[in-house]
Each structure stands twice: as structure tokens, then as C-alpha cells.
Amino acid sequence: ALAYWPTVRIGLVPRVEYLRGIYEGEYGSFNNYLGSLALVYRFTRHLEGFVQYAHTYRDWNSPIPEAEDFHVYDPSMGVRYQVSQAIFVSGEAGYFLQDNEHSSNEGGYHFDAEGSWETERTLLSLEAGHGYDRAELGSENLGLPRYTRVRFRGEYAVTRYVTVDAF
């Protein structure tokens, strides 16, 4: 990933990712290419919004029918706001469409929201999200599982060298 700000208010954030999955036995292998581009607009020094497009291409080299090539089209938009020195909030929402080579296409919305409060010794954060994930690199190929998550994290610096956290 790279961030380029041609002006004070407008930024471009391209990202490129490559993943190679190699399985033992009959499953074969795949190449996964992901590219995205975000256009960021800084409204103030504390508030910025963005629109983003991400595209994924999966190229399977496998004899089994479950391993099919696909494209994922994923536009989204969001905001980030530094409310104060201690409080930060952000949110993102979009819609994805997975265009499969042979089977029916899949699609759905996704969103992520996050808020955090940080002081000199304490950090509290709350995240919530709903969307999709890739699950081919686990013990079995689960395809395109959807998730809903809520995550809370608390951290406290007891001393300069000891921090306690819970999540």
C-alpha cells in the first residue's frame, strides 16, 4: 500500500496484494490478485471521507470442480473523524459481488465501524462489522463465509513496562 497526497486535501491510496495458495494432493493451487484504489478527501484536519474500489481475481489451477475462478467487485465509502485528541471514530460501508466462473454469483453489503478513547495510560476501543471473508487457507475450503462481529478491547499501562489488556 502507498499513500500519495498531491494536494493538502486530496489523497490517493492504491494497494496491491498477491497471494499464492499451494495445496498438497489433488487440490492444486491458486493465484489471488487484489487491487484497490481509494480517493480520500480531507474536509478539515480532523475529518476525512473516502470512496474506494477493490477488485479481486482468483485463478485456480486445480482439477476439482469446487475450485473455480472468480472476480470480486467491491466499491465502498467511509469517513474517519478525530473528535478530540483522545477520541477517534470511523465507519465504512459497501457492497460486494462475487462473479463465479460456473456457479451462481454471490453478493451482499458490508460495513465496519470503530470508536476508540485513549488517554496517557488507558485505551478503550469498540468495533462492529458485518461482511464477508476468504477461508481457503484453513483446514478446509469454506468458500465465502459471512461474518458479524463485535469486538471490545481495553488496555491499561500499569507501569512504564507492564500493560494489561482484555478483549
Side-chain angles (χ1 to χ4, degrees):
L2 174 72
Y4 173 63
W5 291 84
T7 71
V8 174
R9 295 209 178 267
I10 297 174
L12 296 170
V13 184
R15 186 176 124 210
V16 177
E17 184 179 298
Y18 171 75
L19 175 67
R20 172 109 171 119
I22 301 173
Y23 294 98
E24 294 181 6
E26 67 207 41
Y27 288 103
S29 63
F30 67 83
N31 294 304
N32 194 78
Y33 307 92
L34 177 128
S36 71
L37 179 64
L39 175 63
V40 182
Y41 185 79
R42 193 172 279 153
F43 295 98
T44 68
R45 14 179 264 182
H46 302 292
L47 175 66
E48 61 185 35
F50 64 91
V51 292
Q52 176 176 276
Y53 176 74
H55 187 97
T56 303
Y57 173 61
R58 172 69 54 89
D59 180 23
W60 276 97
N61 181 14
S62 175
I64 63 170
E66 294 86 17
E68 64 179 322
D69 297 349
F70 62 82
H71 292 268
V72 176
Y73 309 96
D74 188 356
S76 62
M77 60 192 316
V79 294
R80 297 180 196 103
Y81 184 47
Q82 187 75 41
V83 178
S84 67
Q85 187 173 353
I87 301 171
F88 174 78
V89 294
S90 69
E92 176 181 353
Y95 187 86
F96 75 93
L97 175 65
Q98 179 172 321
D99 182 11
N100 296 313
E101 185 177 31
H102 301 294
S103 63
S104 61
N105 297 339
E106 297 181 65
Y109 68 93
H110 60 89
F111 74 87
D112 285 295
E114 177 183 358
S116 65
W117 176 70
E118 185 173 3
T119 65
E120 188 175 316
R121 299 175 72 146
T122 306
L123 168 69
L124 299 174
S125 69
L126 178 65
E127 297 176 36
H130 176 78
Y132 68 97
D133 200 3
R134 306 270 15 123
E136 290 87 0
L137 298 178
S139 59
E140 60 183 307
N141 184 352
L142 299 175
L144 189 66
R146 300 185 202 276
Y147 68 86
T148 300
R149 76 166 188 278
V150 175
R151 184 181 310 163
F152 174 78
R153 179 172 183 206
E155 188 175 296
Y156 182 74
V158 179
T159 70
R160 185 174 171 184
Y161 301 106
V162 177
T163 301
V164 177
D165 66 353
F167 52 92

